[in-house]
Amino acid sequence: MPSYKAPVEDMMFVLKDVLGAGQVFAEIPAYAEIDTDVVENVLEEAGRFCTEILQPLNMSGDAEGCRLEGGVVRTPKGFAEAYAAFCDAGWGGLSASPDHGGQGLPRTVQILVDEMLSASNLSFGLFPGLTRGAYEAIEAHGDEALKALYLPKMIAGTWTGAMALTEGGAGSDLGLLKATAVPRGDGSYTVTGSKIFISSGDHDMAENVIHLVLARLPDAPAGTRGISLFLCPKYLVDRDGTPGARNAISVGALEHKMGIHAQPTCVMNYDGCQGWLVGEEHRGLAAMFTMMNAERLFVGMQGLGVADASYQTAATYARERLQGRATDIAGTAPIIAHPDVRRMLLSMLSFIEAGRALSLFTALEMDKEKFHPDPDIRRVSGGLVALLTPVIKAALTDFGFEAAVLGQQVLGGHGYIREWGQEQFVRDARIAMIYEGTNGIQAQDLVLRKLPLDGGRPVRTFLGLIRETLEQADGSAEAAAQCAALREALAHLEQVTARLVDGDLAGSDERNAAATDYLRLFALVSFGWLWLRMTLVVLKKGEGADAHARRKIALGRFFAGRILPQAGALARQIDAGSAPVMALAAGDF
Amino acid sequence: MPSYKAPVEDMMFVLKDVLGAGQVFAEIPAYAEIDTDVVENVLEEAGRFCTEILQPLNMSGDAEGCRLEGGVVRTPKGFAEAYAAFCDAGWGGLSASPDHGGQGLPRTVQILVDEMLSASNLSFGLFPGLTRGAYEAIEAHGDEALKALYLPKMIAGTWTGAMALTEGGAGSDLGLLKATAVPRGDGSYTVTGSKIFISSGDHDMAENVIHLVLARLPDAPAGTRGISLFLCPKYLVDRDGTPGARNAISVGALEHKMGIHAQPTCVMNYDGCQGWLVGEEHRGLAAMFTMMNAERLFVGMQGLGVADASYQTAATYARERLQGRATDIAGTAPIIAHPDVRRMLLSMLSFIEAGRALSLFTALEMDKEKFHPDPDIRRVSGGLVALLTPVIKAALTDFGFEAAVLGQQVLGGHGYIREWGQEQFVRDARIAMIYEGTNGIQAQDLVLRKLPLDGGRPVRTFLGLIRETLEQADGSAEAAAQCAALREALAHLEQVTARLVDGDLAGSDERNAAATDYLRLFALVSFGWLWLRMTLVVLKKGEGADAHARRKIALGRFFAGRILPQAGALARQIDAGSAPVMALAAGDF
């Protein structure tokens, strides 16, 4: 059986000691009541809930899966009860606005809980994750009537949310979508179309499902500028918020997937159902992007969470499994004594901790962007969030999947069978590289849209922060090797960035051909930066202080020596340009 | 639905034009009758069989899986009939000795058929693959009576083979195994023990299953030097080869696995069954290694085959799926127009073709090792085979899995659901990195055993071949960039090799910590070498001659520019040594 315990100590180390979140919260009036002790208590409580309630349902949910019975989706045994407990404890509205019943905790806390949800039960975690994305979009773009009617129930978790974007002919390119909406004359619309890959599209865990559906109005221009967003509830809601008649929404099919079997991924038919416009006409994609950006950070946490669950299981197994001899141990050794097993575990863990630090850094910028009293700080933070969102989505899910594959490998044949749950982590982690915009799309977003954003200010700011840390570390003998490795990797990143922004790689094919390698390079340098920051904090306390300190130091050195050199190779690959990519005619593949 | 067509033209190009197999066959009396036209006909025929009979059963076999009913394993619908057709056509004994009814074709042909089997139906292909491993071990080590009784039926496929090595407490470390064998006094033995992860352990496709079981005799020394190999048939066989009474062998359970659902992976109980010694007492591991080396090459072909099946499906999809705009196309473009999609397809294909060339190079050395009249050539070939076997097993399955993950990514959400079969390829490919010795074990084998082999001669020979090709390419302007990239990567490999053999990295921890990165570096350089060889052949014909030539040129350049730079990073990672890997105490993980 897999084992998972929420790494609250590691989380608090980053939040408090590395990022100084307490200081930031103190500057934000909305967080006046929140100190890091409160945060730690919340995390401990969330960790307990995940370990005790959600993790025991993870393997059984995978084995049983969802079923479509008489047009209704049935979730696996125990899920409805667990969801009720989840809502009762108020986890659904953790970071939601107190105006509509939320607890108003910072995004930094929310994403750590997201990590735990994903680690203990990714399929389950997607229900509240999507609900939050939906209510955030309604909160940002809906009119007051919609907000009053829908937000309290969604924040409480009584109703869940679903995003209905993709169609059979419109995936990465939403401009091609065909669903239609026609005004009814009473302020509502008739929405018609068929959508695929709709997570949480239908289920038996909540009393209503609120679909946010992208569709075209009759006079809509072609492409992405002619898409509007509609709220379509499964059950129509009367004025006092009571669900009544069934809306004309039906489940066409349940998809058979590689993983997340406990998640109902539906083909949804909107058969002339009644819907309400969210935001302005033809501006639906912008409204949807509010939801998608939050979801992208959430999906990044899925990659991270699954990686940590896989790591914890692999480390437990490696400490217990006796096999082979090691040089310094008489007789048969636990496999953790073998260097190649350690290499796998350290690769996983050095990514997990740096990935968490990057997510927390970004979430703290989100908190500042939303609530900081200083508009200049809000602007700078907004730029950093925009820049880092695709990096987190793609890098945390790519590295997260790779980590889960390593975690499976540590167990050998025992990782390939169901018993320890490692193979499920690989299957579940795989989706995160695909949905909410494939990782290739994220890379395009980073290179084509985010690098040039605001005249390139966000990326300059971010690279400046890295140089700042390097300057702070100057003169530390203990961190010298790490600094040298990071300095070299940063030089590669800076050089390639300049070429992509307005140098010889600024053409469209060049940027596209470079994008995936560039995002990975960007992530590696970011991780290296955060390892240096973590290292400097620990060194201040004294390197050998305790197991926690020893672990940080060892991981930072491992990352610098055995992972970061890949930055140089990525820069070289980008250097080769688009010519080798574009040479072959489509018919010659 | 996935699509697969055996790439016979590409296979023949490597075999005939690049490696000059026709010339080699002519030097070998056993292959006097075999010219490359014969080979091409066999491959065309095998390709047809795989496309028409095996591939249509791949997805249905995965969905249905194997079942254990009343102690007997039932394979999925259609498998037994397909296996009968397979045996009728003589595919089981393709490379087996004509002395026992085989067709005596070269290993080079066999592995190409293995690739096709794996591409069209990996679960199915494992049945004959293991049978071959088993009959090769019996042929090499069994006495004449055993050979006469078992080989003809196994070569015909009437009986299948299984390897019973792993136990619950003995996986990578076979020295820990506990199964016992006691002489009965009539030349046979009573074999008792429980084995896990036994592929093809039981099924309903053939009239008998021949288990090769590792066990200890009563007086056996501890560890790997006290293991003997026993042949234990499911049904005891009388003198004229008729199966009769059931032997005391039972299926304890069927494993629930991530993939290869149509393969019965069994817990097998040998409950005091009757067995016969294969080879000498206490020398069972050596006998088993005959089988395992052949199996390791076979497993490498599984990685390659699945990668090609995934590639072909992804390329078809990418040519047809319209999504997004490309710079040089008006309106919506097929996704193959997008540089990032091409990057994925080219990464897959440049590995597939180089991996196939490396496998064929090795198989041709196996043919020479076995049959060449010149003993010096046999010795050199034997060294190369020993050196390259772990590289092929590990690199082809690692890169093969990575390719399948890319092939899935090309399809986005459609790759995560069952529909196109891409997710099955990922699940099926994953096992190949684990069984027949995990890829970590292969890396240890390469660094600790194969580099020092015969005073280092095999590795010197191999690196010498690469330098030879570089010298031949000298002066070719068209190949200059490829040569430069390969020369640099080779320098890294040579330098690291020297340090591992008798330099500063020759200590046990250093070698172990370097092993996995080293094997990958070794494979990348080998692939780069074979791309240069393929390129030189094509350039001689004229670069733009036809689509085939254009494809080779483009792929070779892509590999040199966009993949080979990783060699430098791997060398740097090895350079960091074992210190960052060993720093942390086991309890601090």
Side-chain angles (χ1 to χ4, degrees), chain B residues 135-147 231 277-279 287:
Chain B
Y135 71 61
E136 287 180 359
I138 297 168
E139 189 171 28
H141 301 280
D143 62 28
E144 290 308 315
L146 274 189
K147 286 198 225 182
L231 183 158
L277 186 67
V278 180

Side-chain angles (χ1 to χ4, degrees), chain B residues 499-532:
Chain B
R499 294 171 66 192
L500 285 167
V501 169
D502 52 17
D504 61 320
L505 297 177
S508 168
D509 275 353
E510 293 300 335
R511 284 178 171 182
N512 277 295
T516 292
D517 285 343
Y518 179 78
L519 188 145
R520 198 172 176 93
L521 169 60
F522 194 107
L524 286 173
V525 173
S526 305
F527 295 162
W529 168 54
L530 287 155
W531 270 120
L532 183 57

Side-chain angles (χ1 to χ4, degrees), chain A residues 166-174 176 196-197 255-260 265 311 315 319 321-325 327-328 332 336-343 345-346 349 398 401 404-406 408-410 412-419 423 426-431 433-434 438-441 443-444 485 488 508-509 512-517 547 550-552 554-555 557-558 561-563 565-570 572-578 580-589, chain B residues 167-174 176 196-197 255-260 265 311 315 319 321-325 327-328 332 336-343 345-346 349 398 401 404-406 408-410 412-419 423 426-431 433-434 438-441 443-444 485 488 508-509 512-517 546-547 550-552 554-555 557-558 561-563 565-570 572-578 580-589:
Chain A
T166 304
E167 297 177 8
S172 295
D173 186 354
L174 288 172
L176 298 173
I196 62 170
F197 304 154
E255 298 288 2
H256 296 282
K257 309 182 299 289
M258 181 184 196
I260 55 167
T265 308
Y311 169 79
R319 276 192 300 261
R321 171 83 172 167
L322 302 173
Q323 206 78 178
R325 285 159 195 282
T327 35
D328 57 341
T332 303
I336 205 163
H338 300 298
D340 194 57
V341 172
R342 291 171 157 262
R343 176 192 61 78
L345 292 173
L346 292 166
L349 195 53
D398 275 348
F401 176 75
V405 170
L406 284 175
Q408 183 181 25
Q409 192 73 13
V410 169
H414 296 276
Y416 195 68
I417 60 171
R418 250 190 226 161
E419 191 186 3
E423 62 90 26
V426 173
R427 288 186 290 104
D428 285 358
R430 185 65 185 90
I431 188 57
M433 298 155 75
I434 295 172
T438 65
N439 287 358
I441 295 287
Q444 309 291 321
E488 188 189 320
S508 168
D509 275 353
N512 277 294
T516 292
D517 285 344
R550 287 195 300 274
R551 188 156 119 149
K552 301 300 170 208
L555 285 167
R557 287 183 185 158
F558 176 87
R562 309 234 6 159
I563 305 283
Q566 290 161 26
L570 290 163
R572 294 277 302 269
Q573 289 165 217
I574 294 169
D575 218 38
S578 72
V581 178
M582 302 310 289
L584 212 54
D588 288 348
F589 273 82
Chain B
E167 298 178 6
S172 295
D173 186 354
L174 287 172
L176 298 172
I196 63 170
F197 303 152
E255 298 289 2
H256 295 283
K257 309 183 298 290
M258 182 183 195
I260 54 167
T265 308
Y311 169 79
R319 276 193 300 262
R321 171 82 171 167
L322 301 173
Q323 205 78 179
R325 285 160 195 281
T327 35
D328 58 341
T332 304
I336 205 164
H338 299 298
D340 195 58
V341 172
R342 292 172 155 259
R343 177 193 59 79
L345 292 172
L346 292 167
L349 194 54
D398 276 348
F401 176 75
V405 171
L406 285 175
Q408 184 182 24
Q409 192 73 16
V410 169
H414 296 277
Y416 195 68
I417 59 171
R418 249 190 226 160
E419 191 187 4
E423 62 90 26
V426 173
R427 288 186 288 105
D428 285 358
R430 185 67 185 88
I431 187 59
M433 298 155 73
I434 296 172
T438 65
N439 286 359
I441 296 285
Q444 310 291 319
E488 188 189 320
S508 168
D509 275 353
N512 277 295
T516 292
D517 285 343
D546 52 17
R550 288 195 298 273
R551 188 156 119 150
K552 302 301 170 206
L555 285 167
R557 285 181 187 160
F558 176 85
R562 308 232 12 158
I563 306 284
Q566 290 162 26
L570 290 163
R572 294 277 303 269
Q573 289 166 215
I574 295 169
D575 218 40
S578 72
V581 178
M582 303 309 290
L584 212 54
D588 288 348
F589 272 83

Side-chain angles (χ1 to χ4, degrees), chain A residues 81 86 89 121 146 217 289 324 333 390 393 402 427 442:
Chain A
E81 293 78 5
F86 178 90
N121 197 322
L146 275 189
L217 287 165
F289 263 108
K393 194 284 178 178
E402 290 165 25
R427 288 186 290 104
Q442 304 299 325

Side-chain angles (χ1 to χ4, degrees), chain B residues 47 106 109 160 231 241 243 301 388 432 434 441 459 475 477 490 492 495 506:
Chain B
V109 182
T160 66
L231 183 158
M301 301 319 288
L388 295 173
I434 296 172
I441 296 285
V459 70
L490 177 63
H492 285 302
Q495 197 232 35

